[in-house]
Amino acid sequence: MQHHQQSEWLTVADYQLHLRQLTPVQPDSAYPVLMLHGAIENSRIFYNEKGRGLGCFLADHGFYVTCADFAGRGLSQPKASRDFNHSQQQLICQDIPSLIQHLQQQYQLPVVVIAHSWAGVVLAASLARFPHLLPKVKAIITFGSKRVIRVGGFKKRLHIDLVWNRLSPLLCRLYGYLPAKQWRFGADNEPAQYLLDTIGWIRGHAFTDPTDGFDYAAACAKLSWPVSWHFAAINDQLLGHPLDVQAFLTETGLNKGRYTLLGKAQGHHQDYDHISMLTHPCACKDHFNEVMLWLKQIEPQY
């Protein structure tokens, strides 16, 4: 590895967010990178101690990288439980602004934000709700981010309509949180309110806040977004179907950014899916390298 790893914790309200700091041995990047994970997972989608993952790849190429665990997930404290709940609105209104401002103040530079899956949705909502954050964001990169799941079929009926929309709320009432890890349909557990807040948006309800009605769609229409690049995977047929990703980009105005479909027919080494786009060894030769070169082009060199 050409980077060092250490953990720190950022206090927000009455909880602490775990930040995994990946520090390059030879810095070669002006702008720090913040990585945000999706639902029923944590920041380890971007890194591990053996140096794998997009976060490690960028750190090895000179970027200061921070992989954040959302409240209740990963090594953040406390864990999701009956005694610790956390809503989607808290993530949008407290956590994401705190993370962006923390890194901007730490490095005195705007931040590159990379989001996987649902994190792209809450990131867009947070920036739309707090446009004063936009000057603190240099670029946005999303992987498999969609808001509404419109794709049909058996997998959608099983994993979304049955497990996510019906079974998961029942589990939340039983356990006080969503035990996705114990039930083996996710890499991490979720606070109950966060799960409940996602259901309406996934079903296609208006892009408004389920807590206070804030109109994110209208707010997005007024924004001038930073430069952005958005990835979908050819074998991602449910959680980030390419058509659903494109619909989300159109809805938010992020479709003015760059869009790439990851698959062999598009010249890549693999037909990637929702997870393998960030975990497959071939990703380093494919889009990881392309992302690294693109980020270096939009920033001054040392």
Side-chain angles (χ1 to χ4, degrees), residues 26-229:
Q26 295 182 327
D28 187 29
S29 165
Y31 300 110
V33 176
L34 171 63
M35 295 188 153
L36 305 177
H37 64 81
I40 55 174
E41 65 184 26
N42 54 53
S43 66
R44 292 182 66 86
I45 190 74
F46 297 115
Y47 79 94
N48 69 15
E49 287 78 8
K50 295 181 179 180
R52 297 173 186 157
L54 178 56
C56 295
F57 181 88
L58 292 178
D60 284 343
H61 286 82
F63 290 83
Y64 288 90
V65 177
T66 299
C67 303
D69 286 328
F70 289 148
R73 294 79 149 183
L75 296 179
S76 292
Q77 296 295 331
K79 298 282 191 182
S81 68
R82 189 176 300 278
D83 297 323
F84 178 71
N85 208 352
H86 186 264
S87 70
Q88 182 173 258
Q89 190 191 59
Q90 286 175 286
L91 178 61
I92 291 169
C93 295
Q94 295 180 176
D95 299 4
I96 292 177
S98 295
L99 288 165
I100 291 173
Q101 292 177 127
H102 174 71
L103 263 68
Q104 193 275 332
Q105 292 170 4
Q106 180 179 353
Y107 293 98
Q108 292 297 299
L109 288 165
V111 180
V112 173
V113 186
I114 297 178
H116 180 227
S117 195
W118 199 254
V121 179
V122 290
L123 171 65
S126 185
L127 294 175
R129 188 157 189 153
F130 304 106
H132 67 274
L133 293 173
L134 286 171
K136 303 178 189 295
V137 177
K138 183 65 179 180
I140 295 170
I141 301 174
T142 66
F143 288 90
S145 291
K146 50 74 197 58
R147 186 178 74 84
V148 182
I149 297 181
R150 295 179 175 85
V151 62
F154 173 75
K155 286 186 177 180
K156 198 261 187 177
R157 292 194 296 273
L158 174 62
H159 295 289
I160 303 303
D161 297 339
L162 178 60
V163 174
W164 192 259
N165 293 345
R166 296 191 179 187
L167 175 61
S168 292
L170 292 176
L171 292 174
C172 286
R173 286 196 285 273
L174 179 63
Y175 287 86
Y177 65 98
L178 177 61
K181 188 174 182 179
Q182 292 96 308
W183 281 65
R184 298 185 179 180
F185 60 85
D188 210 334
N189 302 325
E190 290 283 2
Q193 190 59 52
Y194 187 86
L195 171 278
L196 296 173
D197 289 342
T198 68
I199 291 175
W201 284 3
I202 291 172
R203 284 176 169 169
H205 295 180
F207 195 16
T208 57
D209 196 287
T211 302
D212 65 6
F214 183 89
D215 192 333
Y216 294 111
C220 283
K222 301 175 184 178
L223 298 184
S224 178
W225 291 106
V227 294
S228 62
W229 195 353

Side-chain angles (χ1 to χ4, degrees), residues 10-27:
L10 176 66
T11 298
V12 179
D14 58 347
Y15 49 89
Q16 292 183 316
L17 305 180
H18 169 248
L19 309 181
R20 190 64 170 178
Q21 302 284 11
L22 312 180
T23 304
V25 173
Q26 295 182 327

Side-chain angles (χ1 to χ4, degrees), residues 213-251:
F214 183 89
D215 192 333
Y216 294 111
C220 283
K222 301 175 184 178
L223 298 184
S224 178
W225 291 106
V227 294
S228 62
W229 195 353
H230 310 279
F231 292 89
I234 192 70
N235 274 351
D236 192 349
Q237 295 299 302
L238 180 64
L239 298 179
H241 191 286
L243 292 178
D244 289 342
V245 169
Q246 291 175 318
F248 167 66
L249 299 178
T250 299
E251 177 180 48

